[in-house]
């Protein structure tokens, strides 16, 4: 269990929004690395339900989605014994630190966040204050554990940069205290493109349902989507400049099977795109089968899930509680006890 005081291992924190299933792109780009990371680092993973509340949600569905997201990260290889895996709203220290950090964050900085600008343009009927201060809560998530490394995609870079600025500003004002977090860029990782338009990233919000594979899709669905994948003119399975469709399928096949491009080219020499697409579909479905099975088992075992997230929250509170207590002293709050 991570202990910020006497650990040698670096601390990784990541927050995952409970907003539906991961895509094959999330999986290949990030999620499949989580399991192996747990040996090298002290990992803390949080289902960030408080962040998700910045968008209107149906409470019944929201609760269910949060549980599903928690089950899903365990299904993907996060071991609740090795890592701290918890639900954000179960640890009140995030909200407490959020306030302190908000007082070290400028209105102007938050106004410049591109995600805020995009989201408020998209939902002009609900530009709530939570949407605006979202990055402060994210900074609190990270700084509450004196996190060293944060695995993030390009879309969260600006938020992490802000978290670093907030940490540095706090340190300047009150004396060195917070670890200034760095982005974690995975050693292996490939970008997966849309199956319908390989010039675009695979995205769960794509209007075309065939563009995106979800990791809980069943075998038939996966195979059907790959059969319909857009390929380029030509017929040879060969990795080449400008052949975005085939290149994308080769990348995916390589991730699912561990084969190199040369091996794939040899395997499909003389065969057409149709055979190849079927093989990719089957390989991906087989590769994801254990995740699907784990998820089905976990989501039906509510008692086990509860045990895991309750003990996860206890561990999270133990670490962040110490940090927040020190922060309260630093800013000059009167000791409560
Ligand atoms: N904002 C992140 C996203 O939408 C989720 C998140 C919340 C997060 N808190 C975090 C990610 C802390 C990394 C660290 O993807």
């Amino acid at each position: 269990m991570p202990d910020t005081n006497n650990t040698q291992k670096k601390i990784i924190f990541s927050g995952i929004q409970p907003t539906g299933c991961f895509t094959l792109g999330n999986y290949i780009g990030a999620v499949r690395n989580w399991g192996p990371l747990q040996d090298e680092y002290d990992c803390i993973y949080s289902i960030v339900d408080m962040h998700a509340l910045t968008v209107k949600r149906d409470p019944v569905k929201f609760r269910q989605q949060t549980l599903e997201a928690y089950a899903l990260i365990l299904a993907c290889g996060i071991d609740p014994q090795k890592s701290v895996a918890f639900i954000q709203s179960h640890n009140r220290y995030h909200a407490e630190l959020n306030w302190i950090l908000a007082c070290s964050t400028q209105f102007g900085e938050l106004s410049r966040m591109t995600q805020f600008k995009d989201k408020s343009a998209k939902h002009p009927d609900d530009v709530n204050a939570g949407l605006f201060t979202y990055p402060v809560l994210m900074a609190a998530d990270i700084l509450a554990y004196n996190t060293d490394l944060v695995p993030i995609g390009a879309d969260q870079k600006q938020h992490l940069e802000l978290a670093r600025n907030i940490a540095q500003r706090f340190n300047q004002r009150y004396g060195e205290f917070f670890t200034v977090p760095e982005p974690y860029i995975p050693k292996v990782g490939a970008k997966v493109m849309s199956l319908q338009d390989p010039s675009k990233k695979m995205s769960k919000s794509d209007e075309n349902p065939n563009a995106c594979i979800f990791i809980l899709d069943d075998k038939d669905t996966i195979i059907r989507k790959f059969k319909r994948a857009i390929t380029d003119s030509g017929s040879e399975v060969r990795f080449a400049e400008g052949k975005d469709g085939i290149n994308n399928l080769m990348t995916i096949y390589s991730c699912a099977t561990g084969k190199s491009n040369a091996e794939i080219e040899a395997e499909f020499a003389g065969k057409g795109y149709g055979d190849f697409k079927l093989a990719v579909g089957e390989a991906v479905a087989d590769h994801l089968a254990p995740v699907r099975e784990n998820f089905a088992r976990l989501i039906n075992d509510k008692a086990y899930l509860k045990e895991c997230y309750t003990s996860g929250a206890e561990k999270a509170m133990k670490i962040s509680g110490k940090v927040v207590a020190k922060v309260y002293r630093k800013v000059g709050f009167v000791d409560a006890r």
Side-chain angles (χ1 to χ4, degrees):
M1 173 185 141
D3 179 334
T4 48
N5 291 322
N6 57 21
T7 183
Q8 296 300 313
K9 287 185 183 173
K10 289 199 166 177
I11 296 173
I12 284 195
F13 182 98
S14 193
I16 300 110
Q17 291 215 37
T19 48
C21 190
F22 299 128
T23 69
L24 183 64
N26 302 139
Y27 189 76
I28 288 179
V31 178
R32 71 185 169 130
N33 299 317
W34 291 347
L37 281 181
Q38 299 175 111
D39 298 321
E40 213 177 316
Y41 300 98
D42 281 332
C43 296
I44 307 173
Y45 293 107
S46 182
I47 302 302
V48 289
D49 52 348
M50 289 158 73
H51 278 101
L53 201 60
T54 53
V55 173
K56 283 192 192 116
R57 310 248 166 224
D58 170 69
V60 174
K61 260 201 233 150
F62 184 33
R63 186 172 294 118
Q64 180 64 20
Q65 280 186 320
T66 301
L67 281 177
E68 284 173 4
Y70 189 83
L72 193 59
I73 63 168
L74 300 196
C76 288
I78 288 175
D79 176 346
Q81 307 296 332
K82 274 193 206 165
S83 296
V84 177
F86 72 106
I87 296 170
Q88 186 185 30
S89 62
H90 291 180
N91 180 357
R92 65 172 193 274
Y93 294 120
H94 290 240
E96 292 187 9
L97 186 57
N98 171 69
W99 179 255
I100 307 283
L101 299 181
C103 299
S104 281
T105 309
Q106 297 302 305
F107 181 88
E109 293 182 289
L110 292 175
S111 315
R112 285 193 291 276
M113 292 292 120
T114 53
Q115 194 175 78
F116 172 71
K117 289 192 264 186
D118 291 350
K119 285 199 176 171
S120 45
K122 234 170 150 182
H123 305 281
D125 57 322
D126 188 20
V127 185
N128 61 77
L131 200 62
F132 188 65
T133 60
Y134 178 113
V136 183
L137 181 59
M138 182 163 159
D141 297 342
I142 297 166
L143 302 182
Y145 301 88
N146 274 318
T147 301
D148 296 291
L149 297 167
V150 185
I152 40 156
D155 65 323
Q156 297 298 316
K157 254 179 110 176
Q158 200 185 23
H159 289 164
L160 182 61
E161 197 51 45
L162 181 66
R164 289 169 52 84
N165 291 340
I166 295 173
Q168 281 158 341
R169 195 169 306 140
F170 185 96
N171 289 350
Q172 261 162 24
R173 191 156 160 201
Y174 298 107
E176 278 311 306
F177 178 68
F178 284 123
T179 304
V180 180
E182 305 272 348
Y184 173 81
I185 317 286
K187 285 178 207 130
V188 279
K191 202 164 158 192
V192 175
M193 312 307 281
S194 155
L195 298 185
Q196 292 295 315
D197 176 359
S199 65
K200 282 194 324 206
K201 219 175 103 178
M202 181 178 280
S203 158
K204 69 173 103 182
S205 49
D206 203 303
E207 280 158 25
N208 186 334
N210 290 320
C212 172
I213 303 282
F214 291 100
I215 63 171
L216 296 176
D217 278 349
D218 62 37
K219 185 164 187 168
D220 289 348
T221 306
I222 294 177
I223 291 178
R224 179 168 38 82
K225 288 180 183 175
F226 276 106
K227 274 191 185 159
R228 295 187 183 163
I230 299 292
T231 37
D232 328 85
S233 59
S235 58
E236 254 185 310
V237 177
R238 182 167 291 279
F239 200 95
E241 181 98 23
K243 290 178 51 175
D244 295 350
I246 279 295
N247 293 350
N248 188 36
L249 294 181
M250 284 182 71
T251 302
I252 293 170
Y253 190 64
S254 167
C255 289
T257 60
K259 291 178 187 168
S260 69
N261 283 343
E263 286 169 320
I264 300 169
E265 287 169 4
E267 184 180 352
F268 292 94
K271 295 186 187 155
Y273 284 170
D275 289 336
F276 181 52
K277 287 199 264 187
L278 182 63
V280 181
E282 281 180 344
V284 168
D286 290 347
H287 187 72
L288 294 176
V291 174
R292 220 159 41 234
E293 284 157 20
N294 287 339
F295 178 79
R297 187 172 30 80
L298 287 161
I299 201 65
N300 285 313
D301 193 347
K302 296 283 187 303
Y304 175 72
L305 280 183
K306 187 168 184 181
E307 206 179 291
C308 293
Y309 61 67
T310 307
S311 85
E314 274 167 19
K315 292 191 244 174
M317 286 180 73
K318 204 166 161 202
I319 304 166
S320 54
K322 286 186 201 158
V323 173
V324 171
K326 286 184 192 154
V327 168
Y328 272 29
R329 281 236 94 220
K330 284 209 163 270
V331 302
F333 286 164
V334 173
D335 289 340
R337 282 184 297 273

